[in-house]
Amino acid sequence: MKNATRLCSTKPIVTVNGKFPGPTIYAREDDTLLVKVVNHVKYNVTIHWHGIKQLRTGWADGPAYITQCPIQPGQVYVHNFTLTGQRGTLWWHAHILWLRATVHGALVIMPKLGVPYPFPMPHMEQVIILSEWWKSDTEAVINEALNFGLAPNVSDAHTINGHPGPVQRCTSSEGFKFQVVLGNTYLLRIINAALNEELFFKIAGHDVTIVEVDASYTKPFKTSTIVIAPGQTTNVLLKANRAIGKYLVAVSPFMDSPIVVDNVTATATLHYLGSLGSTITTLTSLPPKNATPVATNFTDSLRSLNSKKYPARVPTKVDHSLFFTVSLGVNPCPTCVNGSRVVAAINNVTFVLPKVSLLQAHFFNISGVFSDDFPGKPPIVYDFTGKQPTNFRTTIGTRVYRLPYNSTVQIVLQDTGMITPDNHPIHLHGHNFFVVGKGLGNFNPKRDTKKFNLVDPMERNTVGVPSSGWTAIRFRADNPGVWFMHCHLETHTTWGLKMAFVVDNGKGPNESLLPPPNDLPKC
């Protein structure tokens, strides 16, 4: 624990090595990492390596009660994993309770020695972590919400590398400053570590070139505004080619549903070497928070590089075709103030975390922990984005979907208007997937499948399901273990918008899950 002052008020926060955001880990493709996590706080803790495939090393993945029991106060756990065939910007964060509000940091994987980037070599690199800040203790915020059965209070500010910049109620707060030299090119590694908000990111007077998302190279394209959902990473090239001076860097929320968000803009400064202290900062205007066209235009522009060296291996045949509705609901809750509680569900199943980790139950054949009957389609078909059913109740359970090793999977993720439509960033552990299609309204298999991009769709680990729309993804289940799939809006995950896949072992040791390490935490 460490005291931190933001917005002119101080509170104790959970940190890693005393830092917020936490330390950046630098490694190279195919390196093996050993990360020793020592828990000195009163909370149970886990660390998730977001976007790392964890080939056969699911024990190091980190989501509490999915691949491991949490690291209890006073306990130690060593994560041991290899960065097989991955390079780019990823990140790490706590994966239990709401601790990732302050427990997060960058994981930068450089290409192997002597292997160049597929874009011009930058003069310098800068990690930029976007996050949210509450004046209150975040655990108290979510606990109060759960007691009432309602949505938690929104954050009090957004932050750029831990700092909100001057805001109305606290003008003395300094923002992050990034110094550049005229004529140089910079690689910005941008991470959205916010708990609940999709964000716009913009630098006054400068366009940037997108070259990578979620540690997968893209066909480069220029833009003035970036859209980035919680869990996602985006690498951009910034050319310092404007008049010497100071330029505002700004971050604000994107929300195109009638849902309350933290509307405070976070600011930082891009500072050209040689600009005077008295120079007026050049300002920028951000899109309105409901600027759907800006967001859609951005995501529609993303394409895999799909070169000889970095081919897009999109599965063309599908063994398992799944249709997942993503929705909110209301269940009775005798302990809640209103007698009911807002929940969230996939195919009307509100997921319940077990008391022992799913991966242990799977590996050691412990019965009664989960059932492998997660529905591959919704229990009732209706006009998902139109008139909603009157019954908002969901079923609850710890149900997983089982996949044979190396099988190919297509999932259509369909938003619904249940209570309210919403944009859901869905994250899959243990695998990257290809985003082969998306659209508004209800998915129509006859019409929409014909329009799928099977040539150069974007490869990622976290994808937004648009409000009142759908997204289709494909992946190959070539990693044995138990893999979490959930909404990366922390409120929705807490409410049960999550499920897991069990990928069975293939043939022989190279296609089988390794046994757990001796220091695997106990429940």
Side-chain angles (χ1 to χ4, degrees):
M1 302 302 291
K2 192 175 177 186
N3 280 341
T5 304
R6 299 290 185 278
L7 308 175
C8 297
S9 74
T10 303
K11 68 168 185 176
I13 60 169
V14 183
T15 63
V16 171
N17 296 357
K19 293 180 168 181
F20 166 71
T24 298
I25 297 176
Y26 288 93
R28 286 195 185 277
E29 179 178 344
D30 292 343
D31 279 359
T32 294
L33 266 62
L34 291 174
V35 187
K36 182 176 177 179
V37 179
V38 187
N39 184 1
H40 289 298
V41 297
K42 62 181 179 184
Y43 304 106
N44 283 349
V45 168
T46 70
I47 301 287
H48 167 52
W49 312 94
H50 185 111
I52 297 296
K53 288 180 185 159
Q54 297 291 0
L55 288 168
R56 302 171 53 229
T57 51
W59 308 105
D61 191 41
Y65 303 106
I66 303 294
T67 58
Q68 67 172 86
C69 298
I71 306 164
Q72 295 175 36
Q75 300 292 303
V76 178
Y77 180 44
V78 177
H79 300 76
N80 180 348
F81 58 94
T82 301
L83 306 168
T84 309
Q86 290 188 271
R87 80 223 60 81
T89 305
L90 292 169
W91 63 301
W92 54 265
H93 60 80
H95 212 305
I96 185 169
L97 310 171
W98 270 31
L99 295 181
R100 83 170 169 91
T102 58
V103 178
H104 59 251
L107 172 50
V108 173
I109 311 168
M110 309 300 288
K112 289 185 218 180
L113 272 172
V115 176
Y117 294 129
F119 47 80
M121 183 70 184
H123 294 88
M124 196 187 131
E125 305 188 358
Q126 175 66 51
V127 169
I128 295 182
I129 300 184
L130 314 177
S131 190
E132 288 180 271
W133 185 266
W134 280 258
K135 283 187 175 178
S136 313
D137 172 44
T138 43
E139 292 310 308
V141 170
I142 184 59
N143 289 339
E144 180 190 47
L146 290 173
N147 290 340
F148 279 88
L150 297 170
N153 292 337
V154 298
S155 55
D156 297 297
H158 297 102
T159 57
I160 301 173
N161 283 352
H163 299 281
V167 293
Q168 269 176 339
R169 299 178 301 284
C170 179
T171 49
S172 68
S173 66
E174 285 278 300
F176 174 72
K177 286 188 178 64
F178 175 45
Q179 190 166 311
V180 297
V181 175
L182 183 66
N184 282 4
T185 300
Y186 297 83
L187 181 66
L188 307 184
R189 299 176 176 272
I190 305 165
I191 299 166
N192 184 350
L195 255 56
N196 294 308
E197 302 198 346
E198 231 175 303
L199 298 168
F200 289 123
F201 174 94
K202 209 169 168 187
I203 302 172
H206 293 72
D207 282 348
V208 293
T209 302
I210 313 291
V211 291
E212 178 199 301
V213 299
D214 290 5
S216 299
Y217 293 132
T218 66
K219 290 191 169 70
F221 74 94
K222 266 196 168 155
T223 181
S224 62
T225 310
I226 291 170
V227 184
I228 185 166
Q232 293 182 334
T233 66
T234 305
N235 280 8
V236 306
L237 289 176
L238 167 75
K239 213 165 168 46
N241 56 4
R242 303 307 298 259
I244 286 180
K246 294 188 280 190
Y247 296 84
L248 196 72
V249 180
V251 168
S252 68
F254 163 54
M255 172 54 76
D256 56 359
S257 299
I259 292 169
V260 182
V261 291
D262 165 3
N263 224 354
V264 180
T265 299
T267 57
T269 316
L270 186 74
H271 205 111
Y272 276 75
L273 183 69
S275 46
L276 301 170
S278 56
T279 311
I280 304 288
T281 303
T282 303
L283 302 180
T284 184
S285 62
L286 282 148
K289 70 170 190 232
N290 63 350
T292 311
V294 177
T296 307
N297 186 35
F298 180 84
T299 46
D300 285 354
S301 304
L302 291 171
R303 292 277 184 277
S304 278
L305 187 57
N306 193 22
S307 63
K308 257 202 178 106
K309 194 163 183 194
Y310 303 104
R313 295 194 173 92
V314 193
T316 47
K317 95 176 198 340
V318 172
D319 300 323
H320 294 256
S321 190
L322 309 178
F323 187 86
F324 284 2
T325 55
V326 181
S327 57
L328 302 179
V330 180
N331 283 348
C333 168
T335 60
C336 296
V337 175
N338 302 338
S340 64
R341 158 177 293 164
V342 179
V343 293
I346 298 174
N347 281 352
N348 213 47
V349 178
T350 295
F351 192 87
V352 179
L353 287 175
K355 299 280 184 280
V356 52
S357 89
L358 295 179
L359 190 59
Q360 283 165 280
H362 166 62
F363 188 82
F364 294 111
N365 281 325
I366 307 167
S367 60
V369 177
F370 66 84
S371 59
D372 58 5
D373 58 352
F374 190 89
K377 55 183 198 294
I380 56 163
V381 175
Y382 63 98
D383 180 0
F384 300 117
T385 54
K387 190 174 183 335
Q388 297 299 306
T390 48
N391 177 6
F392 286 169
R393 282 189 72 163
T394 67
T395 59
I396 59 171
T398 309
R399 300 163 72 181
V400 305
Y401 193 95
R402 192 175 285 274
L403 293 166
Y405 181 81
N406 222 22
S407 56
T408 54
V409 187
Q410 174 177 296
I411 309 173
V412 175
L413 296 154
Q414 172 76 58
D415 185 37
T416 70
M418 199 78 93
I419 302 182
T420 176
D422 201 348
N423 191 325
H424 301 274
I426 301 290
H427 172 48
L428 174 64
H429 291 224
H431 302 79
N432 279 359
F433 51 74
F434 290 95
V435 186
V436 293
K438 72 183 193 60
L440 290 177
N442 297 337
F443 175 72
N444 177 330
K446 280 200 176 77
R447 185 189 64 221
D448 294 327
T449 309
K450 288 180 187 144
K451 295 188 216 145
F452 281 1
N453 174 7
L454 302 179
V455 179
D456 59 354
M458 199 56 236
E459 186 179 347
R460 30 189 356 157
N461 61 55
T462 306
V463 68
V465 179
S467 288
S468 302
W470 57 272
T471 294
I473 64 171
R474 286 187 182 184
F475 67 96
R476 183 177 291 281
D478 55 3
N479 192 5
V482 178
W483 304 109
F484 208 19
M485 189 168 100
H486 61 96
C487 181
H488 224 275
L489 304 180
E490 213 56 38
T491 300
H492 291 174
T493 296
T494 305
W495 285 347
L497 212 168
K498 49 198 176 192
M499 58 82 65
F501 289 102
V502 170
V503 178
D504 286 320
N505 284 340
K507 296 183 184 74
N510 288 347
E511 296 181 359
S512 302
L513 180 65
L514 290 162
N518 294 334
D519 63 343
L520 189 73
K522 308 265 189 294
C523 279

